Amino acid sequence: MLDTPTKKRIDDCRDILVGKLPDPKSQIEQITIALIYKFMDDMDKESISFGGKAKFFSDRYEKYNWDSLFDTKKSSKDMFDLYQEAIVSMEKNPNIPQLFRDIFKNAYLPYRDSETLKMFLKTISEFEYTHSEKLGDAFEYLLSVLGSQGDAGQFRTPRHIIDFMTAIISPKLDERILDPACGTAGFLISAYRFILKENSSNYDKENDPHAFELHNTRLEEITINGKQYKGDKLTPDQRRKIINNVYGYDISPDMVRLSLVNMYLHGFSEPHIYEYDTLTSEERWGHHFDVILANPPFMSPKGGIRPHNKFSIESKRSEVLFVDYMVEHLENNGRAAIIVPEGIIFQSGTAYKDLRKILVDDNNLVGIISLPAGMFNPYSGVKTSIIWIDKKLAKKTDKILFAKIEADGFDLGAQRKPVKQNDLPYVFKKLTEYKAALENDKEIDFEGDNKINLAEKKIIAKNDFNLSSEMYRKQTTINTEWPLVELNEVLEYEQPSKYIVESTEYDDNFKTPVLTAGQTFILGYTNEKSGIFEEDLPVIIFDDFTTATKYVDFPFKVKSSAMKILKAINGKANIKYLYYVMQKIEFDSSKHKRYWISQYSKIKIPLPPLSIQEEIVAEIDSYQNIINGAKMVVENYKPKIDIDPDWEMVELGEVCELNPKKSELNELGDLEISFVPMADINENRIDFTPKQIKKLSEVIKGYTYFIEDDVLLAKVTPCFENGKAGIAKGLKNGIGFGSSEIYVLRPNKVIISTWIYLNIITYHFREQGKQSMTGTGGLQRVPKDFILKYKIPLPFIEIQNEIVAQIEQEQEMVNSSKKLIEIFEQKIKDRIARVWGE
C-alpha cells in the first residue's frame, strides 16, 4: 500500500517540476523516467549485495549509475549533462529489458535548469525499492494525478469506480481480459488484483471491505490490495496464465508507455499492451475475450470516426463504435462493464437506437448503472452510466436492471473531497443478490427500492429502446382513491397590503425582489425567520390563475393588491404539494380575468396523507433539481476559443470566398436542390421540408447558391439584433439556394467552415456588425466590405480541427442536457397527472 512518505516525495517532485513543466503529463513522464532509472540502480545494488554483479549499469553504461550522478566532484551542470546523456543513450542499452528501452525511447530533458534537475534527482534519491510492487503503488498514485486527456475525450476513471466495476464483473483466473482503450491500464491492474485477492489465503470474503466502501479514505490511498493479497493459492503456472490473459490497446503511444510501466511494476514482465487503433484497424479484430472493462474516449474527431466495415452498426461516433466493438469481441458467455456518456442511454439517432437494440434484443445487457454527473470533475461534468453486459445472465431474464448511484463517497466539486454519503456498497450488494438470483433461475423483486428497479425488455423496446431508468421506475405512491377536499380546508390566506410597494425595483434597504402582477403561483420557502414575511411557514402567492411559473426565495415584496398570500394549514398539507397539484387547475379566462379567493377556495383537489404528499414532493423536487442543473448547462454554455497570441490574424476575405459565382451551377445539372427562405436560417442544422425541395431549373435567378460546407449569414438586422437567427452551418441535403439577402462564406483550404462559424457567432462580431450596418429602418444591412475585412485568428488547420472537435463534443453534451430538460419536465407533468388520477 502507498505509504505517506512515498506519496509526499511524489508530490515534492511535482512541485519542483511545475515551474518548468506546468503540464501534468510532462511531469509524469519525467518522474517515470527518473523512477525507473533509480529502480534499475537499486536492483543493481541489491544484486551486488548478494554477491552478484550489476546488470543494468554495466560495461560502458556503468558511468551512468546513480552514484556517478551524485559524485561530489561534479558540478550541477556536470550532473545535468551526464543525466541528459544517460537518458538519451539508455534506449540502446543491451543490458536492460526491451520494455525499459521503450520507456527511454525519445526521452529528453525539456528544460535547461541544472539546479532544478539537481533538486529533482535529490528527491528521487529518497525512493528506495527492493522490489517492483512498492514502486508500482507509487506509480499508481503518480498516474492518479494525470486527470484527463481532454483533447482525446479521455478522462481517467476514479480508482474506486474501477474497482466497483471490476467487482461486479468478477474476473476469473482462467479468463482472457481486455481493455480496448486502456489509458494507463487501471482496469487491467484492478482485474489482476481482484484475481489475486480471490485466490489469497488471507482474504475474508464475508468481512473484508471493498475499496469503494472506504468512503472516508482519500482516493489515491484506496487500493484493493490494502491487505497485501499475494494470491498465494495460485500455482506458478496459474499466475503465468493470468498474466498472459491480460490485454490492453490504446491509440496513444504515450498512454501505451505509461501502461507498460504500470503493468511491469505490478508483476507483468512482458505486458500485452499494444499501440492499436481499436476502431479503424483490423489486425486484432479476430481476438475475443471473456471479460472487457473499459472507459473508452467519448469524443469523436472532426468528421467523425471512419471505421472499417466489420462493425455491425454504421456510425462515426466513437462511443457507439467502442460499445459495438466490445459486444462483438466478447465470447458467447462474456461479461463487460463499460462507462458511457449519457447520450448512449437515450439519444434518438439511428446508430444509438440500433446499438441499444443490439444490447437489449440480442441478450447482451443485464443492467444500466447511473453515475453522478460530477464523477469526472474537475475535468468534465459529463453525465455517465455503466453498461453492465453479461451474455449468460441476460438470457435468463426478460428484464433489464436499472441502478442509480447518487453519491460515491466523494463530493462532486472540483476537489472531490471525501464525504459520508456512498451508494456504492448498497448498490453492489443488490447487484450481487440479483446476479445470484439469476444464476439460480430465481426471480427477485426491488419493489419500493429507490436505488434499483427493473423494466421488461418488451416495454423498453416500445420506447425506442430508451435506457433512461426514470422512464421505467414504478411509483409506489399512486392512489386514485384519495379524497377530494376544498382548498379552504388546507389553505388560509391574507391580503398582502402591508407588503405592497410602489416601485417594482429592488428594495434599497432589504435588497429584496418585488413580485409583479402575472407572476402566478410563486412559491417562497425558507426554514429561517427572515425578510418581509416574518413567519417560518412557506407561502404561495398568486395573481392570475392560469399557469405556474417559477419559484422565488425569501425575502420578497409584492406590487399588486390582487395577489393573495396562501399558507398551508399546519398538519393538513405540505405547501409544496399544494403548489404542484394546483398546477392542474384550469380556468375559463372568457368568464373572468381573475378568480377571486371566494371562488378559488371552493375548488377541490386530491389530498393523500401528509407522508405521501412529502414523498410526491421529494420525487418532483428530484426531477426539478435535474432540470435546474441541465438548464444551467444550457443557459451558461457558450462555445469559446482560447486565442493564442501567436496565431495569425487574417481577414475573412483572405480565407473564404464570399457569394461564390453562380457559374458553378452549370456543373450541377437538373438536380433536386433545397430552397431555404432567410427566416429559416438559424444556428441549428436545417432539415429541409418537401416544399423546399425544387428542381434546379425551377430556381429563380438571383438567389444565393450554397453547398453543405458553406457558412450562411443573413445580411439584414435580425442576425445582429437578437442573436437567435441569421447564421447557419452544415446545412443538410448538400446543395441549396437561399434568399438573396444571405451572404455565403465558402472556406478555402486553410480553414474549416466550423472555424469561420465559431468566430462569427461571437458577441464581438455581432456588435461590430451592428455598428457597420447601413440603410434605414428595418432594412439595414451588413456591408459586404465589413464581412471581407473582419479579422479572425487562423491557427494551423490541425489545431482548428482539434478545437472544433472539442466544442462539438461540448455541444453534444448541451443537446443532451436539453433532452434531459424535456424528459424531466414531462415526468413532472405525468407525476402531477397521476395525483389527479389521470
Side-chain angles (χ1 to χ4, degrees):
M1 177 179 284
L2 180 67
D3 56 272
T4 301
T6 300
K7 175 181 174 298
K8 183 179 183 305
R9 290 185 190 113
I10 291 175
D11 290 338
D12 288 344
C13 286
R14 295 187 62 233
D15 290 342
I16 292 168
L17 293 176
V18 71
K20 303 296 179 182
L21 302 173
D23 176 29
K25 184 167 170 291
S26 298
Q27 297 166 20
I28 288 172
E29 288 176 349
Q30 292 303 309
I31 296 172
T32 298
I33 289 169
L35 283 175
I36 297 296
Y37 196 123
K38 178 66 166 56
F39 178 56
M40 292 191 301
D41 192 80
D42 285 343
M43 288 192 290
D44 274 355
K45 285 185 170 66
E46 183 183 59
S47 176
I48 293 170
S49 70
F50 285 103
K53 295 181 179 180
K55 175 182 179 182
F56 302 110
F57 294 98
S58 58
D59 302 327
R60 69 186 186 91
Y61 292 92
E62 182 179 359
K63 65 180 179 178
Y64 299 128
N65 67 38
W66 202 261
D67 291 340
S68 297
L69 288 175
F70 284 88
D71 187 336
T72 55
K73 296 178 183 179
K74 286 186 171 65
S75 66
S76 297
K77 184 179 183 305
D78 292 336
M79 172 190 276
F80 184 96
D81 292 342
L82 184 63
Y83 182 72
Q84 180 171 248
E85 180 184 324
I87 63 175
V88 170
S89 305
M90 207 56 66
E91 69 169 298
K92 299 177 181 177
N93 186 345
N95 305 315
I96 66 176
Q98 182 62 47
L99 171 61
F100 282 10
R101 292 203 294 273
D102 290 342
I103 292 168
F104 284 100
K105 189 176 182 179
N106 299 322
Y108 72 102
L109 275 175
Y111 58 90
R112 303 296 301 172
D113 188 338
S114 60
E115 290 301 323
T116 295
L117 177 67
K118 184 175 183 179
M119 193 184 319
F120 170 65
L121 293 182
K122 187 176 179 181
T123 305
I124 293 291
S125 287
E126 297 172 6
F127 290 91
E128 291 185 3
Y129 301 106
T130 55
H131 55 84
S132 65
E133 185 175 334
K134 286 186 178 179
L135 184 56
D137 288 336
F139 188 69
E140 191 166 336
Y141 168 61
L142 182 61
L143 292 180
S144 75
V145 304
L146 182 61
S148 77
Q149 291 296 302
D151 56 342
Q154 297 172 313
F155 301 100
R156 303 278 75 74
T157 315
R159 167 58 57 188
H160 60 302
I161 300 300
I162 289 177
D163 290 337
F164 174 76
M165 294 167 63
T166 302
I168 292 170
I169 298 304
S170 187
K172 304 295 187 294
L173 64 88
D174 58 345
E175 293 181 322
R176 284 167 54 84
I177 302 167
L178 171 71
D179 182 347
C182 66
T184 59
F187 280 105
L188 302 179
I189 299 299
S190 178
Y192 175 61
R193 283 177 160 173
F194 183 89
I195 297 170
L196 291 185
K197 180 188 74 171
E198 292 279 317
N199 292 276
S200 296
S201 57
N202 64 333
Y203 172 51
D204 183 345
K205 189 170 185 177
E206 299 300 322
N207 298 310
D208 281 6
H210 292 278
F212 51 79
E213 296 177 272
L214 306 175
H215 56 243
N216 278 322
T217 304
R218 287 182 63 81
L219 177 60
E220 65 269 17
E221 294 173 353
I222 292 178
T223 64
I224 201 170
N225 210 13
K227 282 181 65 173
Q228 298 300 316
Y229 302 116
K230 301 293 186 182
D232 55 287
K233 291 184 178 181
L234 296 169
T235 66
D237 284 344
Q238 286 175 324
R239 193 179 291 268
R240 279 192 294 272
K241 186 173 183 179
I242 295 168
I243 289 173
N244 286 330
N245 277 343
V246 177
Y247 289 78
Y249 309 151
D250 203 283
I251 194 173
S252 165
D254 291 334
M255 290 296 105
V256 169
R257 181 163 65 173
L258 292 175
S259 290
L260 288 170
V261 176
N262 201 12
M263 298 286 282
Y264 182 87
L265 295 176
H266 284 88
F268 290 72
S269 56
E270 296 181 3
H272 299 307
I273 304 294
Y274 300 94
E275 184 180 333
Y276 181 69
D277 187 342
T278 304
L279 303 184
T280 63
S281 300
E282 298 184 49
E283 177 187 348
R284 310 190 67 83
W285 183 264
H287 297 207
H288 289 76
F289 299 85
D290 302 288
V291 167
I292 295 179
L293 295 161
N295 175 13
F298 300 166
M299 181 186 291
S300 301
K302 173 67 177 177
I305 304 290
R306 295 183 179 178
H308 50 70
N309 59 8
K310 292 183 181 290
F311 285 88
S312 56
I313 293 178
E314 291 187 13
S315 177
K316 295 183 179 181
R317 303 299 307 169
S318 62
E319 66 269 29
V320 173
L321 292 170
F322 265 113
V323 176
D324 184 29
Y325 179 92
M326 288 181 251
V327 172
E328 294 255 4
H329 286 80
L330 281 174
E331 297 286 2
N332 289 336
N333 290 327
R335 310 184 305 286
I338 312 161
I339 293 180
V340 295
E342 202 73 347
I344 289 285
I345 305 301
F346 60 76
Q347 281 274 15
S348 59
T350 301
Y352 292 95
K353 287 193 288 187
D354 288 347
L355 177 63
R356 295 194 295 266
K357 187 176 189 296
I358 287 174
L359 289 172
V360 176
D361 275 359
D362 293 355
N363 290 320
N364 293 300
L365 184 67
V366 175
I368 299 290
I369 305 163
S370 174
L371 296 173
M375 179 66 67
F376 291 102
N377 279 336
Y379 312 107
S380 172
V382 60
K383 177 74 175 69
T384 57
S385 293
I386 299 169
I387 290 180
W388 175 19
I389 294 173
D390 189 317
K391 294 189 174 185
K392 184 176 181 180
L393 289 184
K395 295 182 181 75
K396 290 175 170 282
T397 178
D398 62 352
K399 297 181 177 66
I400 300 296
L401 177 141
F402 294 93
K404 180 168 61 175
I405 295 170
E406 296 175 294
D408 66 331
F410 298 88
D411 70 23
L412 300 178
Q415 301 302 316
R416 296 287 276 141
K417 296 177 181 177
V419 295
K420 290 184 177 181
Q421 293 75 27
N422 188 5
D423 296 332
L424 294 173
Y426 177 81
V427 170
F428 178 73
K429 178 175 179 290
K430 293 298 179 181
L431 298 187
T432 303
E433 292 173 359
Y434 185 64
K435 276 202 301 183
L438 292 182
E439 287 167 352
N440 292 286
D441 299 316
K442 295 181 179 179
E443 293 288 332
I444 188 170
D445 192 5
F446 295 103
E447 188 73 29
D449 194 314
N450 64 353
K451 299 293 181 189
I452 313 285
N453 63 290
L454 299 171
E456 294 183 5
K457 294 177 183 178
K458 63 183 181 181
I459 301 299
I460 293 173
K462 290 179 180 179
N463 286 282
D464 280 337
F465 296 94
N466 189 308
L467 296 174
S468 299
S469 65
E470 296 300 334
M471 291 188 68
Y472 311 107
R473 186 171 294 278
K474 292 182 180 179
Q475 306 300 330
T476 58
T477 58
I478 298 175
N479 188 344
T480 56
E481 301 294 326
W482 291 327
L484 296 175
V485 302
E486 292 181 352
L487 283 175
N488 60 28
E489 297 180 42
V490 291
L491 281 172
E492 53 189 10
Y493 78 96
E494 69 174 284
Q495 289 290 133
S497 54
K498 61 181 178 180
Y499 309 126
I500 292 177
V501 295
E502 292 296 325
S503 171
T504 59
E505 300 297 326
Y506 278 72
D507 179 79
D508 292 333
N509 296 320
F510 293 96
K511 303 298 181 185
T512 55
V514 176
L515 311 182
T516 60
Q519 294 176 301
T520 309
F521 295 151
I522 297 176
L523 173 67
Y525 52 99
T526 183
N527 292 323
E528 300 176 0
K529 294 182 179 180
S530 60
I532 303 306
F533 297 105
E534 297 176 355
E535 297 84 359
D536 317 48
L537 294 176
V539 299
I540 295 174
I541 292 184
F542 67 86
D543 184 8
D544 296 329
F545 316 130
T546 52
T547 57
T549 53
K550 60 181 180 179
Y551 296 94
V552 64
D553 287 332
F554 283 81
F556 51 79
K557 291 183 177 182
V558 297
K559 172 68 174 173
S560 171
S561 61
M563 289 185 174
K564 302 294 182 289
I565 301 171
L566 303 182
K567 300 178 183 178
I569 296 175
N570 192 28
K572 289 194 174 183
N574 179 292
I575 193 73
K576 293 183 78 172
Y577 169 80
L578 297 178
Y579 168 77
Y580 288 132
V581 80
M582 286 159 63
Q583 294 184 39
K584 285 290 290 183
I585 299 174
E586 297 180 357
F587 301 93
D588 186 352
S589 59
S590 66
K591 294 181 179 178
H592 49 261
K593 292 184 178 179
R594 288 193 174 92
Y595 212 99
W596 298 107
I597 197 69
S598 60
Q599 299 165 290
Y600 195 87
S601 64
K602 300 298 182 183
I603 294 174
K604 291 185 177 182
I605 62 167
L607 190 72
L610 192 58
S611 61
I612 303 298
Q613 294 178 43
E614 291 169 352
E615 289 179 20
I616 294 169
V617 167
E619 180 185 343
I620 295 177
D621 279 354
S622 70
Y623 299 157
Q624 189 62 51
N625 288 338
I626 294 172
I627 292 169
N628 293 342
K631 282 184 175 179
M632 286 186 66
V633 173
V634 173
E635 292 169 2
N636 291 300
Y637 175 75
K638 300 291 181 188
K640 183 178 183 298
I641 299 173
D642 292 323
I643 297 176
D644 189 326
D646 292 334
W647 292 346
E648 180 185 8
M649 297 296 293
V650 299
E651 294 179 349
L652 275 175
E654 298 175 46
V655 293
C656 65
E657 183 180 6
L658 191 66
N659 291 347
K661 295 179 180 179
K662 295 180 178 59
S663 60
E664 297 179 26
L665 294 179
N666 297 332
E667 303 173 6
L668 299 177
D670 195 24
L671 302 175
E672 284 193 348
I673 58 89
S674 307
F675 178 83
V676 185
M678 188 175 62
D680 291 341
I681 300 296
N682 55 62
E683 293 185 8
N684 299 312
R685 293 170 184 263
I686 293 176
D687 288 308
F688 299 110
T689 66
K691 289 183 179 180
Q692 294 171 332
I693 305 298
K694 300 191 176 193
K695 289 286 185 180
L696 181 61
S697 57
E698 298 173 6
V699 175
I700 304 172
K701 292 183 178 180
Y703 282 80
T704 306
Y705 156 61
F706 63 82
I707 58 177
E708 186 172 356
D709 202 38
D710 292 342
V711 177
L712 274 60
L713 171 67
K715 299 178 184 179
V716 293
T717 304
C719 175
F720 299 95
E721 287 299 320
N722 57 30
K724 295 179 181 178
I727 306 176
K729 67 175 177 62
L731 292 109
K732 296 178 181 177
N733 286 35
I735 304 169
F737 281 80
S739 163
S740 58
E741 296 283 4
I742 293 174
Y743 287 122
V744 173
L745 287 73
R746 183 163 299 166
N748 62 22
K749 293 182 179 180
V750 301
I751 197 167
I752 59 177
S753 62
T754 306
W755 188 261
I756 297 173
Y757 173 81
L758 290 171
N759 278 279
I760 66 172
I761 61 170
T762 61
Y763 175 81
H764 180 268
F765 180 81
R766 292 185 189 280
E767 289 303 303
Q768 294 292 314
K770 284 167 66 175
Q771 294 175 21
S772 73
M773 282 181 150
T774 59
T776 59
L779 295 178
Q780 287 187 316
R781 294 175 175 82
V782 183
K784 181 178 180 180
D785 195 56
F786 165 76
I787 305 296
L788 291 171
K789 293 188 177 300
Y790 185 81
K791 289 190 173 183
I792 64 171
L794 185 71
F796 291 119
I797 201 158
E798 293 83 1
I799 297 175
Q800 295 177 42
N801 281 319
E802 290 175 4
I803 294 173
V804 165
Q806 175 66 36
I807 290 175
E808 287 182 343
Q809 182 195 19
E810 294 168 357
Q811 187 60 59
E812 190 170 300
M813 299 307 169
V814 172
N815 293 338
S816 295
S817 294
K818 291 178 181 177
K819 182 66 176 178
L820 273 181
I821 293 169
E822 293 176 11
I823 290 172
F824 284 93
E825 284 181 340
Q826 186 59 48
K827 290 179 78 65
I828 289 176
K829 292 177 182 177
D830 293 344
R831 188 65 189 94
I832 294 171
R834 289 202 304 274
V835 171
W836 285 87
E838 298 178 5

